[in-house]
Amino acid sequence: MSNATQHPEPRILASGDTALVVEFGREVDRRVSALVLALTRRLEDAPIAGVVELVPTFRSLMVHYDPLLIAPADLSARLAAMAAGLDAIERPGRLWRLPACYDPAVAPDLADVAAATGLTAAEIAAQHSAETYHVYMLGYLPGFPYMGDTPPALRLPRRTDPRVKVPAGSIAIATAMTAVYGIESPGGWNLIGRTPALMWDLRRDPPALLAAGDKVRFEPIGLAEYERLAFHAAAGTLILAPEPSPTPTPVPESAP
């Protein structure tokens, strides 16, 4: 039996008069994410006339369309056909190694996280950087990646007092998620480090560095190296290139 037959049939819902949502589940897990990304790839490989944008999320794919080019009923039927028989397989993609500084100078919540978890700052950096993270989706801010899954020992709630300004590049954790702020903004996640890599840069095409389905590993660096790389990033001379990610693997039912 394929992975696809073990998962409930997707639901197709209207979202206003120019978008449909194909919903694969109600939980945030890797199997649901694999199905969302599988449908995204099918639509990219076999575009439907009238579809103008695809937006993958944790558990659904939003399909924006031009109602003058395709009727919602026709699009819904075609999406239902394309969503049939999908397998929950994580395909080869891109693996990014992002420099990450866990120095307290750029990690204002490191001491609080240490107190809450019972770990030292060095242990927090070691545990956080030991994982390979899955990019579930981009959202909230331009280039803001929701990544999982954070090690259980580091899973904390959001701060009770959100900050008015969080610097761009801040590496943050909340619940089972890790993220990097793409631009300076308000935010309530726990800040445990910073990367000089720009998540959002209008000098690039596309501006977002990461995409849903990518993998990310954080490579620890010291404060002096962070400052050196941040200078190059601001000048547009910090060039990061992804590596191929591992070969396709089915996502088991128990995957978080």
Side-chain angles (χ1 to χ4, degrees), residues 28-30 58 90 127-128 131-136 146-152 155 175-178 255-256:
V28 176
D29 66 43
R30 297 279 282 274
F58 282 118
E90 291 190 348
Q127 287 209 24
H128 186 262
E131 297 293 319
T132 298
Y133 295 95
H134 171 75
V135 180
Y136 282 96
Y146 287 88
M147 297 181 283
D149 296 283
T150 302
R155 296 182 182 182
T175 63
M177 293 285 112
T178 287

Side-chain angles (χ1 to χ4, degrees), residues 67-100:
L68 298 179
L69 298 179
I70 187 168
D74 293 339
L75 178 57
S76 179
R78 295 187 65 177
L79 290 175
M82 295 184 79
L86 293 173
D87 287 322
I89 294 176
E90 291 190 348
R91 301 291 179 182
R94 305 183 301 176
L95 170 63
W96 296 89
R97 297 185 184 274
L98 302 183

Side-chain angles (χ1 to χ4, degrees), residues 17-19 48-52 64-75:
D17 56 4
T18 60
I48 297 175
V51 170
V52 296
H64 293 271
Y65 65 95
D66 184 340
L68 298 179
L69 298 179
I70 187 168
D74 293 339
L75 178 57

Side-chain angles (χ1 to χ4, degrees), residues 6 10 26 44 48-49 52 59 63 66 68 83-85 120 123 132 146 148 183 192 204 210 223 226 228 232 248:
Q6 299 173 21
R26 297 182 181 277
E44 290 172 342
I48 297 175
V52 296
R59 57 190 182 88
V63 181
D66 184 340
L68 298 179
T120 66
E123 289 170 335
T132 298
Y146 287 88
I183 61 175
I192 62 168
R204 288 193 304 249
L210 305 179
L223 183 60
Y226 165 78
R228 186 185 72 83
H232 286 288

